[in-house]
Amino acid sequence: MSLRNLSINLATVRQQYNLAQAVDACLAQGITSIAPWRDQIHETGLAEAAEIIRSNQMRVTGLCRGGMFPASDRGGLAAAVEDNKRAIDEAAAIGADCLVMVVGGLPKGSRDISAAREMVVDGLAAILPHARAIRMPIAIEPLHPMYAADRACINTLEHALDVCELLGDGVGVAIDAYHVWWDPKLREQIVRAGASNRILAHHICDWLVPTRDLLLDRGMMGDGVIDLRSIRRTIVEAGYDGPQEVEIFSSENWWKRPGEEVLATCIERFHEVCELHEKSFQER
Ligand code: ZN
């Protein structure tokens, strides 16, 4: 079975591997797509990271992450804009499919989520000319509403697509099943995203019941309650057939296991509960 449509977000094995080790470990199990984080790229050095990725012919399904625009003052927003332009350059240097945006939440001390959302739009508008000039797609990732205060004040696919339409070309969405699975409008909004060619990435993991930590207790596919195959089918029917990217933050479980075991489990579960089997797909 092909692993062409499986990518590993390197947060999944961040406690086990640096970039070079992660690439080797992925290739050893037949995985040829990854999505690194900026701190992992910085730790290796941008030029060396780009060379590791190029020489091993890895596909990079996204660079995580830009964003974090809302700030207490204009200077803070301007600094975020500059940092995001650097992130765009880094994404281009490693040949990423897109730069993923976790847009940011409320500035410290603020209760004004509308203002935060305006700053996000202003920040994105300020970086888009640079992103367009070097052809690096910007992928807004709506996050589950539990992160609205501290990580992202764009919390639904509908809201992310409204912002995309406001901004025009060069911007789309990263659809992370963990963040959007609960949304009653999910199906219609995936169709909408596909119709405007705005699906840039598809992230997967599972929602555990109970979830013991808001950030660091994401589940392996198949261990929770998300119908990952059904979401994948909708995304493929909407026109995106790029890799499914496994992104698991798991401080008490997967981060404590050997990296080899984590990757082997990702592959097994990808086939079991995520991948569309050609036959059943055609029978529909
Ligand atoms: Zn994600």
Side-chain angles (χ1 to χ4, degrees):
M1 280 183 282
S2 168
L3 295 179
R4 188 176 57 84
N5 272 331
L6 173 65
S7 175
I8 301 295
N9 184 299
L10 297 189
T12 307
V13 285
R14 75 153 49 249
Q15 301 303 324
Q16 292 92 340
Y17 300 132
N18 65 22
L19 177 71
Q21 293 164 339
V23 166
D24 288 346
C26 283
L27 286 173
Q29 299 202 37
I31 297 164
T32 55
S33 296
I34 55 167
W37 283 62
R38 287 183 77 196
D39 66 292
Q40 296 171 315
I41 297 294
H42 296 167
E43 178 195 53
T44 302
L46 181 59
E48 191 183 335
E51 176 58 21
I52 290 167
I53 286 161
R54 193 200 58 76
S55 62
N56 287 291
Q57 297 177 42
M58 300 302 283
R59 176 173 178 174
V60 177
T61 48
L63 174 65
C64 291
R65 57 177 162 62
M68 297 292 169
F69 291 109
S72 309
D73 55 37
R74 281 279 146 196
L77 179 56
V81 166
E82 285 316 303
D83 186 53
N84 274 277
K85 288 181 183 169
R86 284 192 292 275
I88 291 167
D89 293 336
E90 290 165 13
I94 62 169
D97 291 351
C98 61
L99 174 65
V100 175
M101 287 282 145
V102 171
V103 296
L106 290 169
K108 203 169 163 44
S110 170
R111 292 189 174 85
D112 192 346
I113 197 163
S114 300
R117 287 173 171 153
E118 279 173 29
M119 279 187 267
V120 167
V121 172
D122 289 350
L124 288 167
I127 65 166
L128 263 175
H130 183 56
R132 288 180 188 132
I134 62 170
R135 292 199 170 81
M136 178 49 59
I138 299 296
I140 301 173
E141 181 167 345
L143 259 53
H144 189 282
M146 67 181 171
Y147 302 115
D150 60 349
R151 290 183 183 271
C153 57
I154 292 182
N155 306 104
T156 62
L157 194 52
E158 182 175 31
H159 186 188
L161 290 167
D162 288 347
V163 170
C164 288
E165 283 174 11
L166 199 65
L167 292 168
D169 291 342
V171 59
V173 293
I175 301 175
D176 187 327
Y178 188 75
H179 295 299
V180 299
W181 68 276
W182 55 274
D183 185 348
K185 291 185 175 173
L186 181 59
R187 189 180 173 82
E188 69 182 55
Q189 293 303 318
I190 291 174
V191 171
R192 176 187 172 199
S196 51
N197 273 323
R198 293 202 193 264
I199 304 175
L200 298 174
H202 176 196
H203 300 176
I204 53 172
C205 66
D206 216 335
W207 186 280
L208 298 176
V209 180
T211 291
R212 292 161 301 178
D213 184 287
L214 293 188
L215 185 61
L216 302 178
D217 193 26
R218 295 190 190 187
M220 179 63 68
M221 299 82 73
D223 287 347
V225 296
I226 305 178
D227 188 345
L228 291 161
R229 186 166 277 144
S230 158
I231 292 174
R232 177 62 178 181
R233 185 167 290 124
T234 306
I235 288 175
V236 168
E237 285 174 353
Y240 178 83
D241 66 352
Q244 302 190 57
E245 176 185 317
V246 180
E247 185 183 32
I248 302 176
F249 307 158
S250 172
S251 59
E252 296 306 311
N253 185 2
W254 298 102
W255 282 354
K256 289 186 169 170
R257 301 194 191 205
E260 259 176 49
E261 179 194 337
V262 175
L263 294 177
T265 310
C266 288
I267 291 171
E268 186 188 303
R269 301 297 181 83
F270 170 71
H271 291 315
E272 272 178 28
V273 299
C274 306
E275 189 180 30
L276 294 183
H277 297 302
E278 218 52 53
K279 193 154 174 280
S280 62
F281 190 55
Q282 284 167 358
E283 277 167 0
R284 289 183 79 248

